[in-house]
C-alpha cells in the first residue's frame, strides 16, 4: 500500500531516514541529525510530497520524498526526488520501491511537472532508472574538505 504521509508519520519518517544513513549508500558520508531531518521532512510535506510504503497491517517500510519546483533558467515545472528508501528486509519479494517510484511519477504529473529528476548514488540504482526510461542528465562529485586533504594556498 502506498499513501501520502501525514504529520503523525513524522517520527517513522525520521526513523527510516536515520536507517538509510546507517546502511544506505550515504553511510559515513551524511551525518544523521534527526532534528534537521524532521525540519526537512516538514518542508517536503509543505512543498512536495512524502509517499509511504506500508505493509497490509500499516507498518511503514519505505518512503520517497519529492519536491515540486520550477527550473531556475526556464521556469519549466519539474519534480525531484530527495529521498527514496525501502528498508533492506522489505526489498525482496515485493514491489515497494517500484510502487513508490510509480506513485511519485504520478503525483508529479498531477502537479504539472514536465520532468522527474532522480538521484543515483550508485550504479545499481542508476540501472533501475535506466530500465524505467530515465536518461542520465549529469553526475555529481563530492570531495570532503575536512578529512586529510592538503590545502592549496
Amino acid at each position: 500500500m502506498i499513501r501520502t504521509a501525514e504529520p503523525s508519520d513524522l517520527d517513522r519518517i525520521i526513523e527510516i531516514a536515520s536507517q538509510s544513513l546507517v546502511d544506505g549508500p550515504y553511510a559515513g558520508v551524511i551525518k544523521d541529525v534527526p532534528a534537521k531531518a524532521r525540519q526537512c521532512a516538514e518542508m517536503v510535506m509543505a512543498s512536495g510530497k512524502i509517499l509511504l510504503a506500508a505493509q497490509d497491517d500499516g507498518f511503514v517500510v519505505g518512503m520517497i520524498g519529492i519536491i515540486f519546483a520550477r527550473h531556475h533558467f526556464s521556469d519549466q515545472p519539474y519534480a525531484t526526488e530527495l529521498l527514496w528508501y525501502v528498508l533492506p528486509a522489505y526489498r525482496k519479494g515485493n514491489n515497494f520501491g517500484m510502487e513508490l517510484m510509480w506513485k511519485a511519477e504520478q503525483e508529479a504529473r498531477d502537479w504539472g511537472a514536465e520532468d522527474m529528476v532522480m538521484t543515483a548514488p550508485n550504479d545499481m540504482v542508476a540501472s533501475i532508472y535506466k530500465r524505467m526510461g530515465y536518461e542520465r542528465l549529469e553526475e555529481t562529485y563530492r570531495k570532503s574538505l575536512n578529512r586529510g586533504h592538503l590545502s592549496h594556498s
Side-chain angles (χ1 to χ4, degrees), residues 133-149:
Y134 285 76
E135 299 171 345
R136 192 178 121 243
L137 178 62
E138 63 184 342
E139 292 185 44
T140 302
Y141 294 86
R142 175 190 173 273
K143 176 182 178 181
S144 172
L145 300 178
N146 297 317
R147 289 188 244 154
H149 292 285

Side-chain angles (χ1 to χ4, degrees), residues 8-28:
S8 60
D9 294 309
L10 280 168
D11 288 343
R12 184 64 179 148
I13 289 167
I14 303 316
E15 287 174 19
I16 293 172
S18 291
Q19 184 65 36
S20 78
L21 296 176
V22 170
D23 65 15
Y26 299 107

Side-chain angles (χ1 to χ4, degrees), residues 17 22 95 101 107-109:
V22 170
N95 224 13
M101 178 189 257
E107 293 286 341
R109 274 189 216 91

Side-chain angles (χ1 to χ4, degrees), residues 13-110:
I13 289 167
I14 303 316
E15 287 174 19
I16 293 172
S18 291
Q19 184 65 36
S20 78
L21 296 176
V22 170
D23 65 15
Y26 299 107
V29 176
I30 297 176
K31 296 174 186 172
D32 182 16
V33 183
K36 291 302 287 183
R38 179 175 294 274
Q39 287 176 343
C40 179
E42 290 169 342
M43 182 270 305
V44 173
M45 291 171 81
S47 64
K49 287 259 181 166
I50 296 177
L51 301 170
L52 304 175
Q55 298 185 111
D56 291 338
D57 63 3
F59 182 69
V60 175
V61 299
M63 64 182 170
I64 189 168
I66 58 173
I67 297 171
F68 305 125
R70 294 190 163 276
H71 195 277
H72 47 278
F73 290 136
S74 68
D75 203 37
Q76 286 175 264
Y78 71 98
T80 187
E81 163 258 345
L82 188 63
L83 172 71
W84 180 36
Y85 187 77
V86 174
L87 295 170
Y90 300 92
R91 292 181 189 162
K92 294 192 188 282
N94 63 63
N95 224 13
F96 289 127
M98 297 313 298
E99 288 179 21
L100 283 165
M101 178 189 257
W102 294 325
K103 181 66 173 170
E105 288 176 349
Q106 186 58 55
E107 293 286 341
R109 274 189 216 91
D110 291 348

